[in-house]
Every structure is written in structure tokens, then in C-alpha cells.
Amino acid sequence: MTNDKLLPEMVEIWQQTLNWQPTVQQQTQFQRLYELILEGNSQLNLTRITDPQEFWEKHLWDSLRGIASLLSANFYSASLALIDIGTGAGFPGVPVAITVPNCTITLLDSTRKKIIFLDNILSKLALTNAKTLVGRAEEIGQHPQHRQAYDIALIRAVGAASVCAEYTLPLLKQGGLAIIYRGNWTKEETTDLQNAVNQLGGVIELIEKFTTPLSVSIRHCLYVRKVANTALNFPRAVGVPSQKPL
Ligand code: SAH
């Protein structure tokens, strides 16, 4: 590996923005993850983000920014069950697995070849707290083993927010939290999301707006709390949530 493929450490930015810093082992895992994604990219077209600074910001920092409020002593000591829906090349789920080793995380994607790639990543990074699952969120959300089984559901770049709500809320235990990662966000979208979460047993707890630390791009994280059971008709059949959003 040449130096141009060395990830920056950004210790001060981690500290300032998330009040957290990676350990030496975590930094090594981030670097190895980056190299494995670059290797996999030649065959699988995983991401267009290959520059080290950009990878650090858009894949590592962005993934962890969503769980910023949880990067506290409490979170470290709790062994929560997380799921990342539509994880793709493993974002935000793999950086989260590296960062919170006491929690377990399920990486769900409907594309088998991405999941096979992720299995290889997990074994190369020795990440025993993460496991993969091939399937559609609409099916997994109706599966007794997965429905109401998770404390936190993460979802980034999978669809409209109301679709994300229908994918995440059925999988959460009551009191659990959906974290929906977004770029831009409008008031109209809040209205749509509000309407969807009402039907799914959730409430919008917080909409956080922030900028990324290097390129100063706009991001939003939506935090939706599950406060009531989700009716059994949700999630609807495969394809329906995205074709007819709530
Ligand atoms: N979360 C990643 C990947 C986003 S691309 C990131 O932010 O980089 C969207 C991914 O979601 C794709 O890998 C696609 O296969 C998966 N996906 C889309 N709809 C899905 C569904 N209904 N159930 C499970 N995975 C889905």
C-alpha cells in the first residue's frame, strides 16, 4: 500500500465532533476496511468514494455521526442489538461494529454478492460482534426471529424517509430507536415522515442538522422512537413500501 491510500487519523476532529477517538486497534481496522473496499471495488462497484479523505468523511465519520449521542459510557457498557438495513458495502454498520464492540450488529442487504463480500470483510477484520443476513427488509420485518428484536435500527441511502420508517420500526423492540441518515431534508418531508411513523407506532424524537467536518456538506439524522407495537400489516409485501409510501 502506498501512502496515498493511507487514511487520515483526524484525532482532533473525532474529539471535537464526537467527543471520541479511535483506539490504535480501531484505526488499524478502519485502514484495513478501506483497503478491502478498494480491492472489492474493482469487481463489485461498491462505492465511488475512493479518495482517503473523502472515504474518512463520507463513510467513517458519517457512519459514526449518526450514533454520536450513543458513544457514551452507557452505550459501551450496554450490549444492545443493532441492525443496519440495506448496508451495501457495510455502511454505517461496519464502522459502528468496529466502534462499539460490546453491541451486536446484523448487516442486512437484499443483494447476495454484497453480503458475501461483507462476510469476507468481517472475517478479515476479526469482527465477531457483526453478522450478515441476506433478505428484503419487508420479509425480515415479518420474520418472528427478527421482528421486535432490535434496540437500534440504522438505515442510510435506502429510500424515502417514510419507506425507511416502514423498514425499521417493525424490527425494533418497543422503546427502540430508528436512526435514519439523510443528506438534505425539507419541512414537507417531515410532514410525510410524521404521517408514516404515526401509523407504525413511532414518534419523531429528534431531527438533527449538521455539516460534515471536511467538505462542510449538509446532513440530517432523524431519530424515531418506537412507542407502540407496529400493526401486523407492516411492513407490507416486498416492493409495496417503496411503490406506495405511507
Ligand atoms: N447503506 C449503504 C448502501 C446504500 S445503497 C450506504 O449508505 O453506503 C442501498 C442498499 O440497500 C443496496 O445495497 C440495496 O441492495 C439495499 N436495499 C434496497 N432495498 C432493500 C430492501 N428492501 N431490503 C434490503 N436491502 C435493500
Side-chain angles (χ1 to χ4, degrees):
M1 274 289 143
T2 52
N3 270 351
D4 62 321
K5 292 304 174 200
L6 198 58
L7 281 179
E9 292 196 13
M10 305 284 186
V11 172
E12 280 177 18
I13 299 185
W14 282 126
Q15 191 60 50
Q16 282 159 13
T17 55
L18 303 189
N19 193 26
W20 172 87
Q21 286 177 20
T23 62
V24 172
Q25 188 197 341
Q26 287 165 335
Q27 183 66 25
T28 306
Q29 286 174 309
F30 288 159
Q31 176 65 33
R32 191 80 185 100
L33 171 64
Y34 176 49
E35 291 165 10
L36 291 167
I37 298 248
L38 291 180
E39 274 171 45
N41 232 3
S42 52
Q43 284 158 28
L44 281 174
N45 205 7
L46 298 164
T47 179
R48 39 179 193 78
I49 297 165
T50 56
D51 169 76
Q53 306 258 334
E54 208 186 349
F55 185 93
W56 179 86
E57 179 181 63
K58 304 226 164 82
H59 282 328
L60 299 182
W61 185 87
D62 192 67
S63 290
L64 299 186
R65 178 60 182 78
I67 59 156
S69 58
L70 305 164
L71 282 178
S72 65
N74 285 345
F75 192 46
Y76 279 113
S77 56
S79 47
L80 302 173
L82 281 70
I83 185 165
D84 180 17
I85 298 164
T87 190
F91 301 105
V94 172
V96 168
I98 291 171
T99 307
V100 288
N102 292 344
C103 297
T104 59
I105 183 157
T106 300
L107 308 171
L108 170 67
D109 205 280
S110 52
T111 308
R112 185 171 298 273
K113 62 180 200 286
K114 289 188 183 167
I115 290 296
I116 292 170
F117 171 78
L118 280 176
D119 283 332
N120 181 43
I121 289 215
L122 297 184
S123 94
K124 292 227 166 98
L125 296 180
L127 281 175
T128 53
N129 62 327
K131 55 175 185 274
T132 59
L133 182 62
V134 183
R136 298 274 315 200
E138 300 93 318
E139 290 164 343
I140 298 302
Q142 292 292 357
H143 196 291
Q145 207 184 317
H146 295 284
R147 190 178 180 90
Q148 294 211 82
Y150 297 93
D151 300 292
I152 296 175
L154 309 172
I155 190 161
R156 188 179 88 161
V158 175
S162 53
V163 177
C164 292
E166 188 167 350
Y167 289 166
T168 51
L169 282 162
L171 290 162
L172 291 173
K173 300 173 187 169
Q174 213 164 325
L177 189 67
I179 305 179
I180 304 173
Y181 291 65
R182 306 294 302 185
N184 287 320
W185 186 251
T186 62
K187 284 211 177 83
E188 295 74 60
E189 286 176 291
T190 302
T191 311
D192 291 346
L193 178 64
Q194 186 75 65
N195 173 50
V197 302
N198 281 347
Q199 297 177 63
L200 293 160
V203 290
I204 303 175
E205 192 164 276
L206 178 67
I207 296 179
E208 240 185 334
K209 180 181 184 179
F210 52 91
T211 53
T212 62
L214 304 182
S215 64
V216 198
S217 318
I218 303 244
R219 293 285 186 279
H220 291 80
C221 264
L222 322 173
Y223 296 88
V224 177
R225 183 73 63 184
K226 179 159 171 176
V227 293
N229 273 340
T230 303
L232 277 174
N233 53 314
F234 299 120
R236 292 168 290 166
V238 168
V240 179
S242 59
Q243 281 150 28
K244 295 182 184 161
L246 290 174

